[in-house]
Amino acid sequence: EDQVTQSPEALRLQEGESSSLNCSYTVSGLRGLFWYRQDPGKGPEFLFTLYSAGEEKEKERLKATLTKKESFLHITAPKPEDSATYLCAVRRGSTLGRLYFGRGTQLTVWP
Amino acid sequence: DVKVTQSSRYLVKRTGEKVFLECVQDMDHENMFWYRQDPGLGLRLIYFSYDVKMKEKGDIPEGYSVSREKKERFSLILESASTNQTSMYLCASQSLAGGHEQYFGPGTRLTVT
């Protein structure tokens, strides 16, 4: 069964229009929630790790937050260069470090 | 910076050929992973390795094997390539010290004709 579900599948924003991406998870014993950015034809690039409910991390226009059931990636005043697919992944306990990935949200920011 | 390199960016092979994809990491990471990525299916784990000569099956190991003879190198082998193995293949490495994030290589776009 899906342990990580991302929504929406695709999101189109006008430049400057802030929004949020959602990652909901059903695993128990969360050992970390990870956000990645992936540009077309390239490997995913690590952005953030969150470990506990209430934690927040920021990087430029991106801010990730975590609750007990989901994480949000907030994008403030996005620019066209923020266009990419954003992937969420979780790590459970006792899995030798394996991550379980969602299918991603494809973000397009148009000028 | 962590660097993960993959032997080829693009590869075209014929059905039935034996295919080797190589991945090298330069950060002395314990874990290494092979994924394939297909539109609409996301990242799917094929195999991973947590130590030299040690391996674990992922979700879709059928038709693949792996080899890890040195800590820095992890190879994915397609014993007899088939057209349904046409995909983007991504390698990742991970340290067990620190945050456990995975670092990915640039990917190999494999086409089997």
Side-chain angles (χ1 to χ4, degrees), chain A residues 34 36 38 41-44 46 49 51 87 91 95-99 101 103, chain B residues 9 31 35 37 40 43 45 48 59 88 90 94 99-102 104-106:
Chain A
F34 304 79
Y36 287 83
Q38 186 176 24
K42 297 187 177 181
F46 170 69
T49 309
Y51 293 102
L87 299 171
R91 177 176 169 249
T95 56
L96 298 171
R98 176 178 173 172
L99 301 186
F101 283 85
R103 298 186 181 188
Chain B
R9 291 286 283 122
N31 288 359
Y35 296 89
Q37 188 175 36
L43 279 168
L45 182 64
F48 68 102
D59 297 323
M88 169 70 98
L90 289 159
Q94 179 190 51
H100 293 89
E101 63 271 15
Q102 292 182 9
F104 285 82

Side-chain angles (χ1 to χ4, degrees), chain A residues 4-72:
Chain A
V4 182
T5 304
Q6 292 189 245
S7 61
E9 289 185 14
L11 181 64
R12 287 178 54 87
L13 300 173
Q14 189 170 13
E15 184 171 4
E17 180 187 1
S18 301
S19 188
S20 296
L21 313 182
N22 178 263
C23 171
S24 63
Y25 60 93
T26 57
V27 297
S28 58
L30 184 73
R31 293 288 182 269
L33 185 138
F34 304 79
W35 281 100
Y36 287 83
R37 169 194 170 123
Q38 186 176 24
D39 293 304
K42 297 187 177 181
E45 175 189 348
F46 170 69
L47 293 173
F48 306 110
T49 309
L50 303 166
Y51 293 102
S52 55
E55 189 175 358
E56 297 182 352
K57 294 264 179 84
E58 285 189 67
K59 181 179 181 179
E60 297 181 356
R61 294 175 293 282
L62 301 177
K63 181 170 130 178
T65 62
L66 181 65
T67 72
K68 287 188 177 180
K69 292 187 176 180
E70 59 192 348
S71 176
F72 292 94

Side-chain angles (χ1 to χ4, degrees), chain B:
Chain B
D1 276 357
V2 175
K3 190 157 186 182
V4 180
T5 57
Q6 296 185 227
S7 49
S8 305
R9 291 286 283 122
Y10 300 95
L11 208 53
V12 180
K13 294 293 181 181
R14 294 196 179 274
T15 301
E17 279 192 83
K18 191 168 187 176
V19 181
F20 294 87
L21 303 182
E22 281 211 319
C23 175
V24 178
Q25 52 98 0
D26 68 354
M27 286 301 293
D28 202 38
H29 284 176
E30 295 86 356
N31 288 359
M32 296 186 75
F33 302 80
W34 275 107
Y35 296 89
R36 65 178 282 178
Q37 188 175 36
D38 301 286
L41 297 178
L43 279 168
R44 292 183 291 167
L45 182 64
I46 304 171
Y47 268 99
F48 68 102
S49 169
Y50 53 93
D51 201 350
V52 173
K53 297 190 186 294
M54 305 303 289
K55 62 186 179 184
E56 288 282 332
K57 291 180 180 179
D59 297 323
I60 51 163
E62 298 78 17
Y64 303 94
S65 62
V66 291
S67 173
R68 193 167 180 203
E69 297 295 320
K70 293 185 178 181
K71 191 174 185 180
E72 67 271 17
R73 190 178 299 267
F74 191 34
S75 300
L76 179 69
I77 302 149
L78 286 65
E79 296 291 343
S80 177
S82 63
T83 55
N84 62 12
Q85 293 179 310
T86 292
S87 186
M88 169 70 98
Y89 289 88
L90 289 159
C91 173
S93 74
Q94 179 190 51
S95 172
L96 294 180
H100 293 89
E101 63 271 15
Q102 292 182 9
Y103 293 92
F104 285 82
T108 295
R109 173 74 65 184
L110 173 67
T111 302
V112 182
T113 61

